[in-house]
Amino acid sequence: MRPDLAIDLGTAATRVHVASRTIPLTRPSTVWQEGGSRPALRQGVIVDADAAAGVLGELLRRAGSTRWRRPHALACVPTDANEAERAAVVEAVQRAGASTVTIVVEPLAAAASAGLAPETKTALALVDVGEGVTDCAVVFEGRLVASAALRIALADLRATVRAWLDESLGIRVSPVEAERVLREAGVGRGWRTPHRLHVVGSPARGIGPLCAWLEVDALHAALDPVAERIASHVAAFVAGLPVDLAADVSEAGVSVTGGGALLAGMVERLVGELGLAVRRVPDPLLAVVDGARVLAGAGCASVATR
Ligand SMILES: Nc1ncnc2c1ncn2[C@@H]1O[C@H](COP(=O)(O)OP(=O)(O)OP(=O)(O)O)[C@@H](O)[C@H]1O
Ligand SMILES: [Mg+2]
């Protein structure tokens, strides 16, 4: 069965590629309810089946799915997703309107993306630093030969920003403001990193709006333990590879995908920790769905799901 849709169901965003379009359809992985938004996923896996079906349903309708025209879908999961978590993805995609669902692990999809397709027959090391998962993998001849997922990623960095602002400056900020602060500060100093940042929120105790300036170096110090857990997870994965794979990886380096690849200081930190070449893929947020589209186009029979 040849899939006609490729889906990257991510913790922050869900992306769907259809053959008739050049750019994937994208929307946040949340649904609206009274009082705020409800997340469909946490740490890379579905935590709210109705919300997940809602997010996917809207995208599949926009992709042209109807009750009479139910697409065949290829959907991606993190490498450590267990059977129940994979079954939840299959069920959500079917509830959203697909007739069949094939599951593929994300690094296999990413490895097939335009920015990454390897010309040589060597092992390819991939690290996806997403919203909820830091997933490390080695892909060789279209198969996943090593992997290690850590369910700590950008969501944890943003939570740290909020907690630090609350504790050290007495200011409560929205998730949107915390995201802006994290993007502008990054996790390490780069040539564009400002020394101070203006934040807008409300007082931790009391009411009304509150503005403050923060010292970026102090924020970096607060973010350091989380960034370090991410980088040391990647380093431990590379250090634990079997000799033949390790030789390929130390020669070719590591490719980074996901939103974390765009965060100032993250790639630099990985270089420091690994002592290897680390490259940000050309389009880090779209690598998984783009590669999933390539695999779908190739037909599922040739896709190894593990
Ligand atoms: N230019 C950018 N700079 C910094 N962070 C960014 C940038 N663009 C996106 N992000 C962040 O990247 C995160 C989303 O990354 P990504 O799309 O890889 O996650 P996901 O696929 O939804 O999650 P996961 O794969 O962990 O389930 C969000 O937290 C977003 O704020
Ligand atoms: Mg992702």
Side-chain angles (χ1 to χ4, degrees):
M1 204 86 62
R2 195 188 172 103
D4 28 49
L5 275 184
I7 301 171
D8 173 12
L9 181 62
T11 310
T14 298
R15 303 170 176 107
V16 171
H17 232 310
V18 230
S20 57
R21 290 172 177 262
T22 47
I23 298 172
L25 300 162
T26 301
R27 59 157 287 160
S29 302
T30 52
V31 291
W32 278 101
Q33 66 170 27
E34 229 169 289
S37 65
R38 213 170 88 203
L41 290 93
R42 256 192 91 223
Q43 299 181 319
V45 294
I46 294 174
V47 289
D48 184 328
D50 292 337
V55 166
L56 288 161
E58 197 225 272
L59 287 169
L60 263 61
R61 273 193 300 282
R62 280 165 61 195
S65 160
T66 65
R67 198 185 303 174
W68 301 277
R69 219 173 127 260
R70 292 164 63 91
H72 300 295
L74 185 75
C76 304
V77 294
T79 58
D80 71 337
N82 63 31
E83 286 310 317
E85 291 163 346
R86 288 165 193 235
V89 171
V90 171
E91 194 189 315
V93 178
Q94 280 179 327
R95 269 181 67 189
S99 59
T100 63
V101 187
T102 303
I103 296 290
V104 173
V105 289
E106 284 166 18
L108 272 186
S113 78
L116 263 166
E119 295 86 39
T120 55
K121 283 208 158 252
T122 59
L124 189 66
L126 299 147
V127 174
D128 184 279
V129 185
E131 170 75 359
V133 188
T134 297
D135 211 351
C136 304
V138 176
V139 174
F140 182 54
E141 292 183 334
R143 298 199 143 265
L144 188 69
V145 288
S147 69
L150 172 75
R151 296 195 182 192
I152 293 179
L154 297 192
D156 302 274
L157 289 169
R158 209 167 44 243
T160 305
V161 169
R162 294 182 84 186
W164 180 79
L165 286 172
D166 189 330
E167 281 158 27
S168 65
L169 296 184
I171 184 166
R172 291 231 166 104
V173 298
S174 67
V176 172
E177 180 70 345
E179 165 151 4
R180 183 189 65 80
V181 168
L182 180 62
R183 280 195 197 198
E184 291 191 21
V187 291
R189 189 158 282 290
W191 64 278
R192 275 198 321 200
T193 312
H195 288 276
R196 298 199 310 159
L197 273 176
H198 193 238
V199 276
V200 179
S202 55
R205 276 156 292 280
I207 50 165
L210 181 67
C211 301
W213 285 95
L214 68 84
E215 295 292 334
V216 171
D217 287 344
L219 175 60
H220 283 166
L223 291 171
D224 205 58
V226 185
E228 187 51 33
R229 281 196 73 182
I230 293 172
S232 60
H233 168 74
V234 180
F237 170 73
V238 171
L241 288 173
V243 185
D244 50 338
L245 295 181
D248 277 0
V249 171
S250 58
E251 198 167 309
V254 173
S255 295
V256 189
T257 61
L262 295 167
L263 195 61
M266 185 59 86
V267 166
E268 293 77 358
R269 184 177 276 264
L270 291 175
V271 171
E273 195 85 20
L274 298 174
L276 295 176
V278 179
R279 93 184 175 110
R280 176 184 295 118
V281 306
D283 210 339
L285 296 172
L286 297 183
V288 169
V289 78
D290 186 45
R293 178 182 56 87
V294 173
L295 293 181
C300 284
S302 61
V303 174
T305 57
R306 282 200 69 100

